[in-house]
DNA sequence: GATGAATGAGTATTCATTCAT
DNA sequence: GATGAATGAATACTCATTCAT
């Protein structure tokens, strides 16, 4: 059981890590820079986290679960798979809009963090859960005849990539209307999954 | 004018860089490791390239132009925008299948290489050309009434992301049938862009 | 605010730098050599100083201000410009005799330290203050009629060069009587500046 | 016996070395840079000179003997030691004015070139000849009673330093009137050496 | 005679981690 | 709990020299 002050320190450090990574990129986010940003000594990080790996892992889990926490209930509340799919896209878009820094950090980590042998630590391999949950909507829609037949994994990868890509584009072009982009994307996916009219 | 042996060495080093980056990731691809992989002294790289930046730049341009060289003619040969779009997706998929290592290296560089201030060197911002060329198909199809009206930039970003995502998924899951994936993706896009029947 | 131990380490490193530079010359005084001389790890220097530049800068300011601190009061105490001039030469000579290593290091730095483009970092251009202070004596002596009319900048450059030269000769020929040299030099300068008898 | 073409090549390389050293400083004058400046391959230098040391040595000898060649006859032609001394100063000044680059290179080498152990290669220790020749004038003047009694070595060091200092100042301040400076310096030295009137 | 290629030791600097206080 | 200090390996890059062609 962690003490309260311990938890507060960890939260503070995680927050500083997020901001530092978002601003300078994963490769340039040394512990020294994160510590400086948090206005604490370098040693504090080592004291509260087993190593850099654990800190990064905490950042990922925290950001990731925050998204799920917000998006999941909205999707669940949708009346059917078609609406759920649309809601998923829109909800993620809104979350991203409101938490740019966190998502930038997450994105940085996902394609920057590597094991000592060079393998991605949080890459696509760790998105299995995500794909599976998307596939549930697809299956449900296909079973009820609303969606046409298609490979669910391919669609899941396509959708997830398109969402990531929208975010990535918006980060580089902040004037881009992300909400409208997501609405358009929802339309495209809708057309791609919908069963042909009899 | 570069001597023949000079060109050969540069090609060898570029090849070694591609393999090293693909295997160990961009961040772990130090000049020392690349040199070791090529079984040459570290200094040779410095001798033939102005710096790491130039080497990476050469890798990017080489891989990138090789793709364009193969894909472009096939797309151009398509009878109409709808076929061109499908051909683009299929052709890229086939190229990627045949040149996994090169594309992995390219992907690594694109989301790993940063300027000293942490900004991506070859990121989305440099994909503008790519987006614009995709938009040309879309515009052509829309003008002829084959494609429905949609935001061309959003569709370009979506398609490109979906292609990248397919590749990324296949890298992690080499048993995944990439060719089939691309065919499916082509179908999805086809449905997303096609004009509604009168 | 620097901690005590921090100050001590910095002083130790500065001391090691002075000795290393004096012994091996500026060009051969790498951080590695300085660290070895101080019997510490290379990283310690980087930890306590922003870079080599800052270390060298500290050496220069420290040695330089130590000289001024000792020489200035003695000169100020002189009854007139003629005596002040003599006292300046004698006092510098005595200081140099007692701090050979430090002065050798200073001299090494002054004509060894270069910017990346090759321009001296602490060269003659930064001696402006020194020349101006010498010119004040000359002006004072000329105004009171003790000194004859001469170009004050030329005399300042000449005097400073002669002092530097005496030091340089003594470094190479340690058996040379530097004190006597300085007394002679004071006589020469005295003759050079004195007004002709009526 | 060196062939004509061999001599020409050596002269070309020496010239390039002089210009490179004068422009970029001794420390930044790598063989690569010198070769580039001469528009020849790096290997050529190694072919014609045993090593960097020999090249530098040749530069020093060449520049140095060129000065002596010009100055010596003018001094020898002077009617007496007093005039010879003045002529020495003026002649050196004029030579320096007309051969700035060569002298800058010489100066760079004198206080930049070091043996592997860090000892100066062309420093004061190698000026013994120069001092001795100056001392001859002084002795001659003292013997004839024109000059007062003073330590000849101290005076030689002083004069030589003052000349070097004038040059160094002029390099940094090219608008400085070097000729006038030398005339003033000649006056100062004259006063310093002259016997007191009976 | 001349060249371009290659080497290996050397440069300053950065960094995650460890540890005594 | 927290800190500043220290480490040692790793980074890209430079350079004088050697050598086969």
């Amino acid at each position: 059981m962690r003490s309260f002050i311990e938890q507060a320190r960890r939260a503070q450090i995680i927050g500083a890590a997020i901001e530092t990574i978002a601003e300078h990129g994963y490769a340039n986010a040394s512990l020294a820079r994160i510590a400086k940003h948090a206005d604490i000594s370098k040693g504090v990080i080592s004291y509260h986290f087993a190593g850099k790996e654990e800190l990064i892992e905490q950042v990922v889990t925290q950001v990731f679960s925050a998204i799920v926490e917000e998006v999941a209930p909205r999707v669940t509340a949708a009346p059917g798979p078609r609406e759920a799919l649309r809601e998923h896209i829109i909800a993620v878009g809104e979350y991203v809009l409101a938490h740019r820094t966190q998502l930038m950090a997450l994105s940085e980590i996902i394609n920057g963090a590597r094991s000592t042998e060079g393998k991605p630590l949080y890459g696509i391999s760790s998105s299995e859960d995500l794909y599976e949950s998307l596939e549930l909507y697809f299956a449900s829609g296909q079973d009820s005849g609303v969606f046409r037949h298609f490979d669910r994994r391919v669609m899941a990868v396509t959708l997830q990539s398109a969402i990531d890509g929208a975010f990535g584009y918006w980060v580089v072009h902040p004037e881009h209307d992300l909400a409208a982009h997501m609405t358009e994307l929802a339309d495209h996916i809708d057309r791609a999954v919908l069963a042909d009219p009899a």
Side-chain angles (χ1 to χ4, degrees), chain A:
Chain A
M1 190 59 183
R2 297 194 204 283
S3 75
F4 173 73
I5 182 164
E6 163 84 7
Q7 279 185 312
R9 262 286 195 239
R10 282 173 68 97
Q12 179 199 11
I13 294 169
I14 290 172
I18 289 175
E19 286 167 17
T20 307
I21 293 170
E23 186 175 357
H24 301 285
Y26 179 79
N28 294 6
S30 66
L31 290 190
R33 229 201 282 234
I34 294 170
K36 195 174 183 181
H37 187 92
D39 213 40
I40 56 176
S41 150
K42 242 189 325 179
V44 186
I45 301 181
S46 299
Y47 183 79
H48 288 282
F49 296 87
K52 196 181 188 182
E53 282 199 14
E54 200 216 333
L55 170 57
I56 297 304
E57 193 189 303
Q58 290 305 309
V59 169
V60 170
T61 344
Q62 177 160 316
V63 173
F64 208 77
S65 57
I67 305 176
V68 173
E69 213 168 303
E70 174 134 337
V71 173
R74 291 179 54 175
V75 173
T76 311
R82 194 180 173 193
E83 294 79 10
L85 198 51
R86 171 172 293 271
E87 189 63 19
H88 173 90
I89 297 168
I90 304 295
V92 168
E94 288 176 9
Y95 187 87
V96 153
L97 254 173
H99 302 84
R100 201 177 110 112
T101 306
Q102 289 181 27
L103 272 293
M104 279 181 66
L106 183 62
S107 160
E108 280 291 329
I109 292 170
I110 283 174
N111 54 46
R114 299 301 161 96
S115 69
T116 344
E117 309 92 46
K119 302 301 158 207
L121 285 174
Y122 303 99
I124 283 164
S125 59
S126 61
S127 311
E128 189 55 30
D129 287 354
L130 191 51
Y131 293 144
E132 286 178 8
S133 75
L134 287 173
E135 286 168 346
L136 286 183
Y137 307 148
F138 299 147
S140 150
Q142 287 175 332
D143 290 348
S144 64
V146 182
F147 292 169
R148 66 182 179 92
H149 182 76
F150 52 78
D151 184 295
R152 294 190 286 271
R153 177 53 53 113
V154 169
M155 188 61 83
V157 171
T158 300
L159 174 52
Q160 188 54 38
S161 305
I163 292 174
D164 290 349
F167 170 62
Y169 188 82
W170 171 64
V171 165
V172 176
H173 304 282
E175 77 289 354
H176 186 63
D177 186 339
L178 182 61
H181 187 127
M182 289 320 225
T183 306
E184 280 261 331
L185 177 57
D187 289 344
H188 301 332
I189 296 294
D190 197 51
R191 284 171 183 268
V193 298
L194 226 54
D196 296 320

